[in-house]
């Protein structure tokens, strides 16, 4: 049973943040632009400077090197990054079942990155993230570039993954209806503090 515990977290202009997220839970975070939502996720992924204690069960972030922590606590940013010409070069493992679940053909790994829409890139970035089997998933406006069909598909994939792997999720979005659908707890960042809704 995995649990993400955040105690006395301070980052940029925000804090303290004190929350616990159990396996299988999705915590929603909303707030005005610039309130610190994305910065919260970056702090939790150990990408930005912060103070406080962040642990996964009894494993502190400070006990692991950053790449190892990010395999367990994985961030999907609003815009994914691709640095090679073809998709397959970005994957160390190919999961054909997941590829099919995401609605792509088997030959998708041969596709050129330049042919992808922003929505396809985002779905494939989630595929790339899930192949590493993280136990915490940090989602930053993950469906902003997706149509309704693919948004619902994305939500279902996250829901299924949470059930299968007892993962927990922090989902940042401006879409209040989406956050109601996907989350079991809802928070809002106001004046640098995280408030339960």
């Amino acid at each position: 049973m995995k649990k993400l515990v955040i105690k006395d977290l301070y980052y940029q202009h925000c804090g303290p943040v004190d929350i616990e997220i159990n396996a299988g839970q999705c915590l929603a975070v909303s707030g005005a632009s610039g309130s610190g939502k994305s910065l919260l996720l970056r702090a939790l992924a150990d990408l930005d400077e912060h103070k406080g204690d962040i642990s996964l069960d009894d494993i502190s972030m400070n006990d692991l090197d950053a790449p190892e922590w990010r395999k367990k606590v994985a961030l999907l940013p609003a815009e994914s990054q691709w640095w090679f010409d073809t998709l397959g070069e970005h994957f160390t493992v190919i999961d054909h079942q997941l590829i099919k679940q995401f609605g792509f053909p088997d030959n998708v790994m041969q596709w050129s990155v330049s042919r992808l829409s922003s929505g396809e890139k985002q779905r494939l970035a989630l595929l790339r993230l899930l192949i590493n089997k993280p136990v915490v998933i940090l989602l930053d406006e993950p469906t902003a570039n997706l149509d309704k069909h693919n948004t619902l598909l994305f939500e279902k994939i996250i829901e299924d993954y949470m059930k299968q792997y007892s993962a927990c999720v922090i989902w940042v979005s401006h879409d209040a209806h989406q956050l109601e659908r996907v989350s079991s707890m809802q928070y809002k960042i106001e004046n640098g503090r995280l408030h339960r809704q």
Side-chain angles (χ1 to χ4, degrees):
M1 186 79 169
K2 298 292 183 184
K3 179 164 65 171
L4 183 68
V5 180
I6 304 162
K7 292 181 181 176
D8 281 332
L9 174 65
Y10 288 86
Y11 61 96
Q12 298 274 339
H13 58 280
C14 298
V17 174
D18 294 280
I19 48 177
E20 291 187 9
I21 310 166
N22 292 313
Q25 286 187 315
C26 179
L27 183 146
V29 179
S30 62
S33 294
S35 62
K37 303 181 302 296
S38 297
L39 295 173
L40 169 63
L41 299 186
R42 289 183 60 81
L44 296 176
D46 200 16
L47 288 166
D48 288 347
E49 190 174 332
H50 58 276
K51 296 179 182 176
D53 297 317
I54 304 169
S55 61
L56 190 57
D57 287 342
D58 296 326
I59 303 171
S60 170
M61 175 190 287
N62 298 324
D63 294 337
L64 299 175
D65 61 29
E68 194 176 352
W69 176 262
R70 286 185 207 117
K71 282 185 179 177
K72 297 178 182 298
V73 181
L75 171 64
L76 182 68
E79 290 188 22
S80 59
Q81 301 298 313
W82 302 89
W83 45 93
F84 297 119
D85 292 334
T86 62
L87 276 171
E89 294 175 277
H90 296 88
F91 289 78
T92 54
V93 176
I94 308 297
D95 186 327
H96 292 286
Q97 185 178 347
L98 261 183
I99 289 171
K100 186 175 181 181
Q101 188 180 356
F102 275 67
F104 288 103
D106 283 338
N107 70 342
V108 69
M109 291 299 152
Q110 298 165 17
W111 290 6
S112 169
V113 170
S114 62
R115 74 167 271 187
L116 300 173
S117 70
S118 56
E120 287 173 327
K121 285 179 182 175
Q122 194 67 352
R123 287 161 51 215
L124 287 161
L126 177 63
L127 173 64
R128 183 174 62 187
L129 181 147
L130 294 184
I131 282 175
N132 288 323
K133 304 289 189 287
V135 291
V136 179
I137 302 172
L138 309 172
L139 301 172
D140 190 3
E141 296 283 354
T143 60
N145 293 323
L146 301 183
D147 59 24
K148 184 176 181 180
H149 168 77
N150 283 309
T151 293
L152 294 175
L153 175 63
F154 189 104
E155 292 173 7
K156 179 75 166 70
I157 287 168
I158 292 293
E159 179 186 6
D160 291 347
Y161 185 89
M162 287 171 61
K163 288 177 183 173
Q164 183 176 355
Y165 294 99
S166 297
C168 56
V169 173
I170 300 179
W171 194 311
V172 166
S173 178
H174 288 290
D175 185 340
H177 295 298
Q178 179 179 65
L179 293 181
E180 286 178 14
R181 286 195 305 270
V182 301
S183 67
S184 51
M185 300 178 289
Q186 296 189 16
Y187 286 80
K188 187 172 186 178
I189 297 182
E190 292 180 304
N191 301 316
R193 300 293 298 270
L194 200 59
H195 302 280
R196 183 83 183 255
Q197 299 293 288

